[in-house]
Structure formats: structure tokens, C-alpha cells
Amino acid sequence: MAVKRKRLGDLLKEADLITESEIETALQSKKEGQKLGDVLLEKGYITEQQLIEVLEVQLDIPRISLYRYPIDPTIINIVDKEFAQRNMVIPINKEGDVLTVAMNDPMDYFAIDDLKISTGFQVTPVIATKDEIIQAINKHYNIKDEDLDVEVSDDPEDAPIVRLMNQILQTGIQLKASDIHMDPQEDKVFVRYRIDGVLRTERSLPKNFQRSLTARVKIMANLNITESRLPQDGRIKTTVDMKPVDLRISTLPTVYGEKIVIRILDLGQAMNGLDDLGFNKVNQKKLMNLIEQPSGLVLITGPTGSGKSSTLYASLNHLNTEDVNIITIEDPVEYQLEGINQVQVNNQVGLTFARGLRSVLRQDPNIVMVGEIRDSETAEIAIRASLTGHLVFSTLHTNSAISTIPRLFDMDIEPYLVVSSVTGIIAQRLVRKICRDCKTAYEPTEMERKHFVKRGIQVQTVYRGQGCNSCQHTGYRGRMAIQELLVIDDEIRKLLMNNHSISDIHHYAFKNGMIFLIDDGLLKVKQGRTTTEEVLRVAKSD
């Protein structure tokens, strides 16, 4: 065994997958307790598939697909669940005194030695992907419905229901879901997770769990347990798998009982820098110029769930220094940021966006962020604030950057105010990224070629994911943003003041090299980061 105890970096270097300098960079950015392999994957130096192939060949350890492997349920409890989760291992087979264990990292010799001591068996490792192990742990260590059935009661502190709720949250966080839906049906309750923007049903629970589960969520979020006829909103700060987690809760009465949606707020996303947002170089330079102006109104538009908050917070993080006073007014405050004064809208006591914004302007701010412009009163105050020397950020729900201008006119804002205050508008959408483990090149179809030619982009090869265990056979893994950025220059102001149509502004922007949503998307298709289908799903080709 001692002969095989090579270091991962050496194995990957021998396979010509990484360089010494990449190893050095990875080691420098490695957080405490983090494994080198995870850092290399995070930085995109290698794919999980490449890592597994190297380990398989160099260590002569077989790779298995846990989705298809018939795990023996009688041996699961040989390994403690907490140990399995912490070390990404799961027992799959036992023959005599040999225990076969699926591991994400078969070079974790400490975990193997611990397993030998705690179980008393000889341990034979096999390799599986992280996602496969997480799913297998959730499936096989889950509380079974029959175990819960024994003691389901109306008491929300009932231990099995508490454990079930924790499991539902744990699964959501491990699967990197953005939302968890608990959907009541006539005779069951579906638990669904939104992963990479797509809802997936993971579990179906008996109907008699519904009341206890609903009560448990309400107690955690400090909501009124007795009120089931009106929608309620709340927030939970809790710890799952030793990580602090921020959850937003929404309940909605339906004909089959209360539907619950839990939004998982990813604090890692909120702490992103502007470099992590995927802006192409041209747009990023324009954005930096916009947000570093002392005054003006910068608007971010797009539908719900298009990453507007991430872009707003990344911009605020960039500007958050000791010598500026940043105040935000939000509904709700999604992420709490150090050094920034954040105000929560409370309509019940009359603290609306408009009223809060008026008070904020008396607090000597340099930078103001208004969560959303919902009415003409808020729009007007935000615009006037930008004209009196403040840099103001806000969001709107419109389809494109250019269509934001008539939307403001529709809110009865005087055209001269819009023209003189708005400095830039960003429109944004999220698209799924191609899974790096099963990414394959192919020649674009005739239809795809037409889209590229129409936008003046030359392309020989495009990519798609074939589907593999790493991406649950979807071909996609993770999401990224595509953006367009309209800078309101003097020429656009002139066109607006002379009542030119929106199509004239569109033509001018196009002539001056503005990268529209469709262009940014297709450029990212050309780079092999997403697919044409994904881009056309969220951006229309003019």
C-alpha cells in the first residue's frame, strides 16, 4: 500500500493534465480542510472525468456508476452517515471480511484507515463521482416512509418530522438547488428541487405528513402556525452540514393545502466579484466605467431568477470602501453585506420603497440601491436622487435593455428626467453550462449556422453535452449569465429628446457595436460554454 501513496499533484502532472504553476496557484487558494482535487476542479484546470480517469489508471482502482449499482441496503449502517457525508464515501458491498466502499477520493488514506479501524473490515475502494455519492447517501440513509408512519403527529417538534425536514434541506443544499418546492396533491406531497433552473421531483411523501411538515417549516421561520388561509413569508437562518444557510420561506394556500417554497440563498454567489459574473471583456469595461461614475442611475433588467441580485451585489461589493456611505432598500434583504446599511421594506407599517428611499436620501449616502422600481413614485425619487449627485442602482422587469426606456415613460416619468438620469442599462439572463465531463464537438446544423451568420459570427464547431453520470444525463451542469449593456450616450439622449422611435435607438446601438443578449449568448456558444438551444430559449433572435 505504501508504494501507491503518491500525491495527487504528481499523478496529474505525470498525465500531462496540469503544470507545476497551476498546482502552486491551487495550493495558494486552497481553503482550510479543502482537498487539492476540489480546488483544481473549481478553478477549471481539470474535469471530474479527467481526475477519475487518472486515478483509475494510475492507482488501478475501478470506477463504477452508482446510479446503476445495486447497493446492498443491509450494509449501509456499517458506516455512520456523518462519516459518509464528511468523507464522501458509501459502503456498497461486503464479501467475507472485505468491505467495498465507493469513494470520491480513493487517495484519502486517512478515511480508509479510519474505516478499517471503525468497521473491523478490510476496505477495498472503488471510484464514483461526488454527485453520485451524495445522491446515494440521500437515498439510502433517508428516513423511510414506514419509519415516519409510526409516529406522525400534529406536534411540530416531533423528532422524525424534524429529521425529515433536515434531510429535505440537506439534499437541496448538496444538489446545489436554488429552490425547494413542497407541492401538496390530493393524496401525496411532492418534494421538488430547482437545479440549474429546471424543477425535478426527488421524492413523494404520504399526505398525512403534510400538516406536520408545514408546521415544522412555520416554526423554523417564526410564522403563524394557525394561519393557513393567507400567504406568509419568512426567513430561516440555520446550519446544515456544519455550514450556515440562509433560507427564504413562502407559503401559499392551495386547494390541497399550503404549498411551501424555500429559496436557498447562496452567500458564495453574493460575494462574487465582477470578474466572476461572466461579462465579456467589452461589456465588463463599459460596466466598470458606469459604476465608477460619481452619479447616475444604473438599471439591471430581466425576469425573476435571472441573476440580477448577484450582479447588483457584485457591483456594490466592488464599490464598498471605507470612504463611501452605501445604503440599500430591499424587499426582502437577500444577503447581508458587511459595511453596507440595508433597509428592509415593511408595507404593514407603511415603510414602502418610496417612503424608505426619501428617508435614505436624508442619510447622506454616496451610493443608493433600490431593490426594485415597482411604481412611478419610486421611479421618480430614484431618478431625482441620481440627478442630485448620487449613484443609484435598481432593477426592473423588462425584456431587453432598450425596452426599459419606454417602460419608464409608461410609468409617467417625464422624458427629460429619464434622458438626463439614466446612464446605463444591463439586461441579463441565465443559461445552463455544458457539462465539462461529457462535452463533445460537432458541426453546427443549418439552422444554427443561420443564427450565427445573421449576427455576423464565424463558427466552424459548436459543442453539446452527451449526458453522463456527472450531469444526471442532462448534458448540462451549472449556470452562467449572458448580458447586454446599453450605455446612454449623448447621441441616444438626442434621439430620445427628439422623439425618435425605439427601433431608431436599436439601429444606432447596433451600428455602434452594442453586444445584444443573442450576440453574447452565441459568442459563448462559440467558446463551447453553452448551447445554441439554451441561448435561443432565453434570448430572441431579431
Side-chain angles (χ1 to χ4, degrees), residues 60-90:
D60 197 24
I61 295 174
R63 184 255 163 92
I64 63 154
S65 170
L66 276 183
Y67 292 126
R68 299 189 183 92
Y69 197 92
I71 295 176
D72 181 353
T74 61
I75 65 161
I76 283 294
N77 291 323
I78 291 175
V79 177
D80 179 65
K81 182 183 177 183
E82 200 180 311
F83 181 91
Q85 285 178 321
R86 194 171 64 247
N87 296 285
M88 280 297 129
V89 302
I90 189 165

Side-chain angles (χ1 to χ4, degrees), residues 404-423:
T404 305
I405 297 165
R407 174 85 179 93
L408 289 169
F409 293 164
D410 291 344
M411 290 173 119
D412 294 331
I413 308 296
E414 291 293 337
Y416 75 90
L417 284 176
V418 174
V419 168
S420 47
S421 64
V422 180
T423 51

